[in-house]
Amino acid sequence: DKMAVADVFLRVPRYIVVLCAVLVQLLNLLLDWRFDGVTHSISAYAIPVIAVAMFLQYTESLLFTVGTSLLYIMAGYHDGISFALPEAIDLVFLFVVTMLIGKLMDEHRNVSQMAINDPLTGLFNRAFLFKQIEKELDRAHRYGRAMSLVMVDIDHFKQYNDTFGHQQGDVVLREAAYILRSHVRTTDI
């Protein structure tokens, strides 16, 4: 399925993305110097910037774009290209692309988080848990291991909620969620 491929692609370790992007930018610079500006194109420098903007946080993406801009300017000076309006437009393009993709990816991460977490407690929601339980059952069966499932109930919660109001009930739910999160391992769902 297409979403599964995208999820795998977006789970590539960040350091690998940065390493590859830096190597491509250095290759761009080397090609610019080797071929005396024949290959001097902002699009060659933009591809790694787009990749970094997809994987890193917004500020980190902007820092990478600043570094790319410096390489682009250095390559241009080496090739005898003076920094003029076309180069300035190229760099503005690079920053606009970085900002748009960075903001889009930040929103994607926020929406993805909201899709699996309850907004009040921050705990995983029912749909996510059912999907994970199925995966964990498959894993337990495949490796012949036991699996545990714990269900929690807050005694007399409805009565408390009716007596003290929904706002106080929300406080109880958030506190219960905090206690649960503080007593589970990072590997637990």
Side-chain angles (χ1 to χ4, degrees):
D1 137 306
K2 290 179 184 177
M3 286 307 292
V5 171
D7 285 343
V8 168
F9 179 70
L10 290 174
R11 292 180 205 268
V12 172
R14 293 169 47 171
Y15 73 91
I16 290 178
V17 174
V18 172
L19 180 65
C20 290
V22 167
L23 290 174
V24 169
Q25 296 305 45
L26 292 175
L27 180 64
N28 282 332
L29 182 66
L30 181 68
L31 288 173
D32 267 347
W33 285 354
R34 175 72 174 98
F35 295 108
D36 295 326
V38 173
T39 61
H40 192 70
S41 166
I42 194 64
S43 57
Y45 287 89
I47 293 169
V49 166
I50 291 168
V52 165
M54 288 178 65
F55 283 90
L56 300 184
Q57 301 298 323
Y58 184 72
T59 308
E60 297 164 331
S61 300
L62 285 176
L63 288 173
F64 185 80
T65 304
V66 168
T68 295
S69 300
L70 294 174
L71 287 177
Y72 184 71
I73 292 168
M74 283 174 35
Y77 278 129
H78 181 269
D79 299 332
I81 301 171
S82 62
F83 190 76
L85 185 60
E87 286 74 25
I89 291 172
D90 287 347
L91 294 181
V92 167
F93 164 76
L94 208 56
F95 277 96
V96 168
V97 165
T98 302
M99 290 188 304
L100 290 175
I101 291 176
K103 289 292 185 183
L104 183 64
M105 293 309 293
D106 282 351
E107 284 302 312
H108 171 73
R109 284 186 276 276
N110 289 340
V111 168
S112 296
Q113 193 68 27
M114 288 180 351
I116 64 171
N117 290 98
D118 174 68
L120 177 66
T121 63
L123 297 175
F124 292 123
N125 65 22
R126 181 177 177 214
F128 177 80
L129 286 174
F130 279 129
K131 190 187 310 185
Q132 286 302 113
I133 287 170
E134 189 175 321
K135 287 179 183 178
E136 292 300 323
L137 283 170
D138 288 344
R139 184 190 333 247
H141 180 71
R142 182 173 54 243
Y143 295 113
R145 294 197 175 135
M147 184 182 121
S148 299
L149 178 64
V150 177
M151 292 184 67
V152 177
D153 180 46
I154 301 173
D155 289 339
H156 311 292
F157 179 72
K158 182 181 178 342
Q159 181 183 355
Y160 182 88
N161 213 20
D162 291 343
T163 303
F164 297 104
H166 292 287
Q167 287 181 336
Q168 284 302 313
D170 288 352
V171 170
V172 169
L173 289 174
R174 279 193 293 271
E175 187 62 27
Y178 172 78
I179 291 168
L180 286 171
R181 274 194 309 275
S182 63
H183 288 87
V184 296
R185 300 169 298 192
T186 56
T187 55
D188 294 333
I189 298 175

